[in-house]
Amino acid sequence: MANMNTTFVLLLNLLYLLLITESISLEAVPSNSIAVNANVQKGLKDPFNRLSSWVGQDCCNWEGIGCNNQTSNVVGGSQYTPDQTNCLSGKLDSSLHNLKYLSYLNLSNINFEGVSFPYFLGSLKKLTYLDLSFTMFFGVVSPTLGNLTNLSYLNLIPSQFSGNTLSVSNIYWLTNLSSLYYLNLQNIDLSKAKTHWLQVVNILPSLSELYLSSCGLHHLPQTLPFVNFTSLSVLDLSNNGFNSSSIPPWLFNLIALINLKINYCDLKGPIPNIARASLCNLKNLDMSFNFIIGGPITEFIQALSGCGNNINRLEQLNLGSNQLSGVLPHSLGYFTQLRELHLTNNSFLGPIPSSIQHLSRLEILDLSYNLMNGTIPEFIGQLIELSTLDLFSNSWEGTMTETNFLNLKKLTWFSFSLTRNSLVFNSPSVKIRDCQLGPAFPTWLKTQKELLEISLVNSSISVKIPNWLWNLSSLHWKLDLSHKQLRGDLPKSLSFVWLDLSYNNLTGSLPLWPSGSYLSLRKNFLSGPLPINIFQRMKKLVTLDLAGNFLTGSIASLTIGPTNLWLVYLSNNLLSGNIPRHWRSMQNLEAIDLSQNNLLGNIPTSLCSLCTLNWLQLSYNNFSGDHFSTLQNCSSLYALDVGGNRFSGTFPKWIGEKLPSISKLRLQGNMLSGPILEQLCFLTHLHVLDLAHNNFSGSIPTCLGNLVGLKSLHMDLTAKGTQLEYYNQILLENSIDLSRNNLIGEILEVLTNLSLLITLNLLWNQLMEKIPENIVVLRNLEILDFSCNHLSGSIPPFMSSTF
Ligand SMILES: *[C@@H]1O[C@H](CO)[C@@H](O)[C@H](O)[C@H]1NC(C)=O
Ligand SMILES: *[C@@H]1O[C@H](CO)[C@@H](O)[C@H](O)[C@H]1NC(C)=O
Ligand SMILES: *[C@@H]1O[C@H](CO)[C@@H](O)[C@H](O)[C@H]1NC(C)=O
Ligand SMILES: *[C@@H]1O[C@H](CO)[C@@H](O)[C@H](O)[C@H]1NC(C)=O
Ligand SMILES: *[C@@H]1O[C@H](CO)[C@@H](O)[C@H](O)[C@H]1NC(C)=O
Ligand SMILES: *[C@@H]1O[C@H](CO)[C@@H](O)[C@H](O)[C@H]1NC(C)=O
Ligand SMILES: *[C@@H]1O[C@H](CO)[C@@H](O)[C@H](O)[C@H]1NC(C)=O
Ligand SMILES: *[C@@H]1O[C@H](CO)[C@@H](O)[C@H](O)[C@H]1NC(C)=O
Ligand SMILES: *[C@@H]1O[C@H](CO)[C@@H](O)[C@H](O)[C@H]1NC(C)=O
Ligand SMILES: *[C@@H]1O[C@H](CO)[C@@H](O)[C@H](O)[C@H]1NC(C)=O
Ligand SMILES: *[C@@H]1O[C@H](CO)[C@@H](O)[C@H](O)[C@H]1NC(C)=O
Ligand SMILES: *[C@@H]1O[C@H](CO)[C@@H](O)[C@H](O)[C@H]1NC(C)=O
């Protein structure tokens, strides 16, 4: 029976060493137990609450810890169940070797951010199983792992969110780990092992699964004197740029291979010559996104499929995005277990081979972006497991009938284009994407029983929208007919969840309907008032984009919106009146654009009760007042544009103090006066500054030249992982516009620090003295205007043409 005190000491030591940062707190609680309080401190995050089991007397019961059995016989990682005998045998004291009986350590998914790779692991000599996946350690993987000679499972894949990379100085230490069965070094920088990585892994006799994807490897030897790792069943080398080398023949001597991934490897050259039946265990082969040339691929497919009486095991074959050509071979039909066939983005020719009809398990058939022709054969309709059928961008012709699709009940993605002739089909959940249809509106849509989505993004239809389209009872989900010059009145009500009719010539008033979630009618000719009950009728709205129409009336209805409302764009209409007071919190509203309307009055404070608001556009209205300081509490604002209004007062110094995230600030075209205050430079994320056309006086603040934001590109945004469409609106460029003010003094030398500046406009001020000579370092400038100042001196030669 384990002694509790020794258990305690053991684990304290372990944790102490793991967490030298003190970011985890351990407290000994009286009465023989340990409390591990892992979540309270900064730094250590344990999203899966793993450490919560680290309580109690017997460490061997703690999740992630296992103790050695005298006869430990681990083979495959996943079935391993830690055994608990012997957990506490041996002499225990405070030094490391006390842990030498630990055989199983799984710290995966615990966030040790900022902790360097734990060197002491090299002393846990009995470890057979070490899982440090997604742990965010940084630095160099300790070569002392080479002491763990009984290790059979080693997983070091870092978290993708880890800012720091884990790297190695070499991997020779791996040669010691002769029991290694599973090795995952994915996403670890192995570039320092470029000359020896293959020799080392080749020596490991028991290696069965090897994951080396995204390891910065650039060298793939074409020959190996001997191929030793023949028990390899999984080899993942994807996403390493092997510098245009050919596919090495030894790859196809790995007879035990089940999964082979060499996609995104910058491999060039001919389709490999492989011996017939050399890879009869293969289930998944991914060679996509390389530059493999050649064709027809008949021999290659025959070699893969010619396994004699054995059944072909291949389940996934991905040759997409290469430069393969020729007609597809009949032998594809031998892969009777095939579930996915990806041949997209090559130059395959000819028809769909009839042998495809034998692939009764096929779920994904992607032949898009090739040069194939002929009709779409009826037997496609017999592949009843198909969920994705992508035939887009080939030269199909002929007529498709219902029979093509009658039985494809699992089809969720279907994409095709036809060069000519008619088309009739019937299938559940059809998505019609990018079909080249038109110029007439495709009437065959009328006959479809269930349509999930119509998005004719690139068709050239320019007609009056037929009335039947609006109550196409089969279509409820998505209609995307943007950019079509469609004419006609919108009906009063609709049924789509997602409706994009932006950039057309539609007329009428705004329809309202309860199921609408995404609604874009941007740039049409809609008229009439913005309905006062818009949010009562459309409670599911997430995106509302009505910019660029002729809508009138007040915006009083906006203050209480649906919970999920995210974006509201109403710019460029004829809306009038005040911005309403009494905004209620909408938990998700991030962007409001009211620019270019006839709104007036003050901006109410309650707008800032929208605590997620980060994009506010109020430009070109008639707002007035001494300032817009009512926005002081909108602390998450990221872009603020109040340009082209009638605000007066001095420079709003609170912006620097209260709105720290501002990246784009436009106060242009108001009546603001007084000096531009240094508080402006608190805005470290600033990229776009436009103070033009006011009455600012005094000199340009020196600190501007040191603003981090203006010195960098918008990396900080992308780093946030934000892919919001409206962020794209922010210029991917740094600019300063101070033109048309009364600024005096000199053009600061320090502005030449801002080498990524695209615009520097100082036109019409009272600036004196000469242009800084090293202004030439601003190589990215596209607009530079100093004219109408009192400058003297010579114009730097490179820019003479600008003036
Ligand atoms: C651990 O060892 C004990 C006794 O030596 C044995 O009975 C038990 O089956 C072993 N467990 C495993 C998982 O090998
Ligand atoms: C290690 O722990 C993680 C998180 O609990 C778990 O997902 C993973 O399966 C464990 N590893 C093994 C093979 O037991
Ligand atoms: C482990 O191996 C290294 C050599 O790689 C050696 O220097 C070290 O002393 C060994 N022992 C421990 C406990 O790390
Ligand atoms: C490795 O395993 C073998 C067999 O189980 C055992 O005899 C040996 O002591 C182990 N080595 C270490 C360093 O624990
Ligand atoms: C290999 O293992 C032995 C025995 O543990 C150790 O002495 C040696 O340092 C290790 N070598 C490497 C390269 O880690
Ligand atoms: C190849 O593997 C065998 C064990 O399968 C081993 O005995 C031999 O030393 C290895 N060869 C080399 C050169 O590492
Ligand atoms: C890639 O190959 C070219 C020519 O073979 C060579 O000059 C270049 O250094 C290689 N680059 C890397 C990263 O290995
Ligand atoms: C097509 O394949 C090439 C490489 O062979 C790749 O660069 C390109 O991105 C692929 N195109 C698509 C749409 O996947
Ligand atoms: C299909 O294309 C091939 C050339 O790639 C051509 O010889 C053949 O006539 C075409 N078939 C049809 C039906 O257009
Ligand atoms: C749209 O069609 C034009 C001309 O037909 C073509 O050049 C363009 O690549 C197409 N765009 C897409 C996204 O398919
Ligand atoms: C929808 O169809 C019904 C009956 O077919 C018709 O009365 C109605 O006017 C149609 N609605 C629209 C908007 O076309
Ligand atoms: C659509 O409106 C634009 C003006 O915005 C006009 O130039 C175009 O001719 C119109 N197209 C149709 C088909 O009415």
Side-chain angles (χ1 to χ4, degrees):
M1 180 55 197
N3 168 319
M4 274 151 324
N5 289 330
T6 51
T7 313
F8 174 72
V9 172
L10 168 76
L11 264 303
L12 263 185
N13 274 321
L14 171 60
L15 282 170
Y16 177 71
L17 282 154
L18 282 173
L19 310 163
I20 334 167
T21 55
E22 299 169 353
S23 56
I24 183 170
S25 79
L26 300 174
E27 357 167 346
V29 180
S31 83
N32 306 330
S33 67
I34 301 173
V36 181
N37 185 352
N39 296 318
V40 284
Q41 302 282 339
K42 53 188 177 303
L44 188 79
K45 300 186 193 89
D46 179 17
F48 302 103
N49 213 13
R50 308 262 312 288
L51 298 183
S52 64
S53 75
W54 287 22
V55 174
Q57 306 165 11
D58 189 352
C59 67
C60 298
N61 279 328
W62 294 11
E63 194 181 339
I65 306 268
C67 301
N68 199 28
N69 207 352
Q70 297 296 39
T71 56
S72 148
N73 57 349
V74 187
V75 243
S78 48
Q79 290 92 5
Y80 182 60
T81 335
D83 185 82
Q84 292 165 24
T85 43
N86 258 342
C87 164
L88 295 165
S89 64
K91 181 171 162 283
L92 284 164
D93 61 42
S94 61
S95 68
L96 289 179
H97 67 261
N98 293 325
L99 300 169
K100 69 186 175 194
Y101 295 97
L102 212 55
S103 69
Y104 168 96
L105 187 60
N106 182 354
L107 298 172
S108 116
N109 274 308
I110 299 177
N111 179 352
F112 297 102
E113 197 169 359
V115 179
S116 59
F117 193 87
Y119 266 63
F120 78 94
L121 288 173
S123 354
L124 308 179
K125 292 207 169 131
K126 286 248 191 299
L127 275 185
T128 56
Y129 183 99
L130 179 58
D131 189 347
L132 298 181
S133 55
F134 312 110
T135 45
M136 296 202 190
F137 288 117
F138 77 94
V140 178
V141 174
S142 167
T144 62
L145 293 184
N147 292 320
L148 311 182
T149 48
N150 276 357
L151 215 50
S152 74
Y153 181 102
L154 179 59
N155 190 347
L156 300 179
I157 176 177
S159 163
Q160 65 182 110
F161 303 112
S162 167
N164 305 297
T165 38
L166 208 50
S167 61
V168 297
S169 45
N170 66 64
I171 58 167
Y172 287 120
W173 50 271
L174 274 171
T175 56
N176 248 9
L177 311 186
S178 56
S179 310
L180 215 51
Y181 166 90
Y182 176 104
L183 177 61
N184 193 335
L185 302 178
Q186 191 178 327
N187 282 329
I188 295 179
D189 179 2
L190 299 189
S191 52
K192 292 219 174 83
K194 69 175 177 196
T195 53
H196 64 270
W197 70 271
L198 185 59
Q199 287 90 318
V200 168
V201 293
N202 186 26
I203 285 168
L204 302 172
S206 321
L207 199 60
S208 174
E209 299 185 27
L210 177 61
Y211 300 88
L212 295 179
S213 126
S214 308
C215 287
L217 295 169
H218 296 299
H219 182 56
L220 183 63
Q222 290 298 301
T223 54
L224 268 186
F226 55 93
V227 180
N228 221 23
F229 51 0
T230 47
S231 37
L232 215 53
S233 67
V234 177
L235 178 57
D236 183 356
L237 293 175
S238 60
N239 208 12
N240 287 293
F242 288 123
N243 202 9
S244 300
S245 68
S246 317
I247 299 180
W250 56 261
L251 267 182
F252 298 98
N253 294 334
L254 303 174
I255 51 173
L257 273 185
I258 294 173
N259 295 338
L260 176 58
K261 290 183 62 140
I262 47 171
N263 49 320
Y264 289 102
C265 279
D266 190 15
L267 295 171
K268 220 175 187 152
I271 187 88
N273 249 329
I274 60 178
R276 195 167 248 256
S278 54
L279 292 174
C280 287
N281 292 304
L282 209 56
K283 283 189 178 167
N284 305 307
L285 175 58
D286 191 345
M287 313 201 322
S288 61
F289 288 94
N290 284 295
F291 301 91
I292 302 168
I293 54 173
I297 57 170
T298 317
E299 280 181 26
F300 179 68
I301 295 296
Q302 268 169 3
L304 282 179
S305 66
C307 291
N309 293 327
N310 297 330
I311 100 174
N312 288 294
R313 302 204 169 144
L314 205 64
E315 292 176 8
Q316 300 183 23
L317 178 60
N318 193 341
L319 303 178
S321 294
N322 279 291
Q323 291 157 13
L324 299 168
S325 63
V327 173
L328 294 186
H330 196 73
S331 45
L332 276 172
Y334 293 128
F335 296 125
T336 51
Q337 305 299 305
L338 207 60
R339 289 188 290 103
E340 298 186 10
L341 180 59
H342 301 265
L343 301 176
T344 177
N345 190 15
N346 281 285
S347 301
F348 290 119
L349 302 168
I352 299 178
S354 62
S355 62
I356 296 270
Q357 65 190 296
H358 303 304
L359 308 184
S360 59
R361 299 184 179 209
L362 210 55
E363 292 164 20
I364 297 179
L365 177 59
D366 187 355
L367 303 176
S368 58
Y369 298 99
N370 278 294
L371 306 171
M372 297 178 68
N373 63 9
T375 56
I376 298 175
E378 281 197 13
F379 63 72
I380 293 279
Q382 293 157 25
L383 303 176
I384 57 172
E385 298 297 325
L386 273 185
S387 64
T388 293
L389 176 59
D390 202 332
L391 304 176
F392 186 66
S393 195
N394 282 284
S395 303
W396 313 119
E397 55 196 45
T399 303
M400 285 206 293
T401 62
E402 283 202 350
T403 45
N404 290 73
F405 296 95
L406 215 49
N407 295 320
L408 302 186
K409 300 221 170 4
K410 297 185 179 169
L411 202 61
T412 56
W413 178 261
F414 174 43
S415 181
F416 67 98
S417 52
L418 274 158
T419 37
R420 50 188 130 104
N421 284 338
S422 64
L423 167 97
V424 182
F425 69 93
N426 175 11
S427 122
S429 319
V430 171
K431 295 176 182 179
I432 300 172
R433 183 182 62 138
D434 288 0
C435 292
Q436 297 300 321
L437 300 165
F441 209 85
T443 49
W444 52 265
L445 285 175
K446 259 206 276 197
T447 59
Q448 306 311 314
K449 294 227 174 67
E450 194 174 342
L451 287 164
L452 197 60
E453 171 178 334
I454 299 180
S455 82
L456 304 180
V457 177
N458 206 16
S459 328
S460 47
I461 304 172
S462 129
V463 289
K464 189 167 177 306
I465 275 198
N467 266 335
W468 55 258
L469 186 75
W470 302 130
N471 58 2
L472 206 58
S473 60
S474 58
L475 179 63
H476 295 297
W477 165 240
K478 178 171 175 178
L479 182 65
D480 182 350
L481 294 173
S482 53
H483 292 97
K484 298 276 171 308
Q485 299 204 20
L486 295 171
R487 284 174 288 121
D489 272 356
L490 285 170
K492 292 263 170 300
S493 179
L494 292 164
S495 61
F496 311 105
V497 173
W498 175 293
L499 179 64
D500 189 350
L501 292 171
S502 55
Y503 300 94
N504 281 299
N505 292 17
L506 298 167
T507 45
S509 54
L510 182 68
L512 300 179
W513 72 102
S515 57
S517 163
Y518 179 98
L519 172 57
S520 178
L521 289 165
R522 174 179 281 260
K523 275 274 169 210
N524 276 286
F525 293 90
L526 300 189
S527 54
L530 181 70
I532 201 87
N533 58 344
I534 177 166
F535 289 150
Q536 271 109 59
R537 288 275 301 160
M538 304 195 70
K539 289 207 168 77
K540 295 188 175 161
L541 270 183
V542 173
T543 296
L544 178 65
D545 186 353
L546 303 174
N549 281 286
F550 296 89
L551 297 172
T552 55
S554 91
I555 56 169
S557 52
L558 296 183
T559 53
I560 310 173
T563 335
N564 290 326
L565 192 64
W566 179 40
L567 312 177
V568 176
Y569 294 146
L570 293 171
S571 63
N572 206 354
N573 276 289
L574 303 170
L575 300 165
S576 56
N578 294 307
I579 299 188
R581 274 148 224 286
H582 311 301
W583 287 75
R584 299 276 185 80
S585 159
M586 286 179 243
Q587 286 159 21
N588 294 296
L589 194 53
E590 290 196 11
I592 299 181
D593 188 350
L594 299 173
S595 54
Q596 302 187 63
N597 278 291
N598 299 324
L599 300 167
L600 45 79
N602 293 324
I603 300 171
T605 327
S606 66
L607 205 52
C608 298
S609 62
L610 303 170
C611 41
T612 47
L613 191 66
N614 52 38
W615 180 269
L616 184 59
Q617 304 285 314
L618 299 174
S619 59
Y620 302 105
N621 279 287
N622 283 315
F623 295 120
S624 57
D626 182 11
H627 267 186
F628 33 90
S629 55
T630 42
L631 292 174
Q632 287 195 45
N633 292 329
C634 293
S635 56
S636 48
L637 272 187
Y638 162 88
L640 176 61
D641 186 351
V642 296
N645 282 293
R646 296 192 289 127
F647 290 110
S648 54
T650 53
F651 183 83
K653 73 173 185 189
W654 51 267
I655 284 190
E657 288 156 0
K658 302 266 186 107
L659 307 184
S661 309
I662 290 279
S663 189
K664 172 183 174 181
L665 181 62
R666 281 187 83 230
L667 308 180
Q668 175 265 126
N670 281 290
M671 300 179 293
L672 301 167
S673 56
I676 300 172
L677 300 177
E678 299 246 321
Q679 277 87 349
L680 174 66
C681 299
F682 293 172
L683 300 175
T684 51
H685 300 287
L686 198 64
H687 292 280
V688 177
L689 176 65
D690 185 354
L691 304 179
H693 233 289
N694 278 290
N695 289 321
F696 287 120
S697 53
S699 52
I700 303 174
T702 322
C703 61
L704 212 52
N706 294 319
L707 259 184
V708 179
L710 282 166
K711 281 199 261 186
S712 50
L713 283 177
H714 283 251
M715 298 312 285
D716 47 344
L717 297 181
T718 30
K720 275 188 208 159
T722 339
Q723 282 153 359
L724 307 184
E725 231 174 294
Y726 67 90
Y727 282 135
N728 297 337
Q729 288 186 24
I730 242 198
L731 306 167
L732 259 174
E733 58 181 49
N734 294 329
S735 68
I736 297 179
D737 190 345
L738 303 176
S739 62
R740 294 178 196 272
N741 279 292
N742 291 312
L743 300 174
I744 54 166
E746 54 181 329
I747 296 175
L748 302 167
E749 192 85 32
V750 70
L751 291 181
T752 59
N753 284 351
L754 307 175
S755 62
L756 296 170
L757 220 49
I758 305 279
T759 299
L760 179 57
N761 191 349
L762 302 172
L763 164 87
W764 281 108
N765 275 291
Q766 313 285 335
L767 298 166
M768 314 273 268
E769 307 194 24
K770 61 183 201 156
I771 300 169
E773 262 181 30
N774 60 347
I775 197 94
V776 289
V777 302
L778 301 181
R779 297 210 176 282
N780 293 299
L781 277 182
E782 284 168 15
I783 297 175
L784 175 65
D785 201 337
F786 291 156
S787 47
C788 305
N789 279 287
H790 306 296
L791 299 166
S792 60
S794 59
I795 294 166
F798 88 101
M799 52 174 59
S800 312
S801 57
T802 322
F803 292 84

